[in-house]
Amino acid sequence: MSSVAASVSVARQFGWRVGAFVAADFVRRGPLGEGLPTVEQHRNSPPLFQALSLIDAAVDDVYVRDPAMTDHSWSRLGSFVRECLVVLDGTAAPSVHPAVIDALAAPTGTATTPPP
């Protein structure tokens, strides 16, 4: 991602905005490595991780390359875009107190459907 951040820095010197694409989570289309505005090392990462990495590299606009993502990925991206909420998947260890699990649960009203 350092090469992405460096490219963003150069683009900013010219006053340009920078956009990049996230790949879908199960559809992999070519051409790979043909200079498309995607980060090739993201190809096997979840779309939300890809988007967060691009934002961390100061990319201005993040686009979904393929609308054929799973409902789960649309939901995670939607939660982040609409509510600035990163919903993580996981299972608590058996020794974790139920009150802690409740406190870490996704808030009521968290997006569960893909954006329109």
Side-chain angles (χ1 to χ4, degrees):
M1 289 304 299
S2 61
S3 64
V4 173
S7 295
V8 170
S9 178
V10 169
R12 289 272 165 22
Q13 292 175 10
F14 293 98
W16 297 347
R17 292 181 61 81
V18 177
F21 290 85
V22 296
D25 41 358
F26 64 92
V27 176
R28 301 291 183 251
R29 294 199 174 124
L32 304 180
E34 294 293 322
L36 296 175
T38 22
V39 178
E40 294 301 326
Q41 64 251 51
H42 280 172
R43 289 208 167 263
N44 295 315
S45 300
L48 179 60
F49 173 82
Q50 296 174 50
L52 293 173
S53 294
L54 293 169
I55 291 166
D56 188 50
V59 169
D60 297 301
D61 303 303
V62 177
Y63 303 98
V64 175
R65 179 180 183 271
D66 191 331
M69 285 195 302
T70 62
D71 288 345
H72 181 267
S73 289
W74 277 121
S75 174
R76 295 304 182 252
L77 281 170
S79 294
F80 177 69
V81 170
R82 286 191 296 274
E83 304 166 39
C84 293
L85 178 69
V86 175
V87 179
L88 303 175
D89 298 314
T91 304
S95 61
V96 175
H97 192 279
V100 172
I101 294 171
D102 289 343
L104 295 175
T108 305
T110 298
T112 57
T113 58

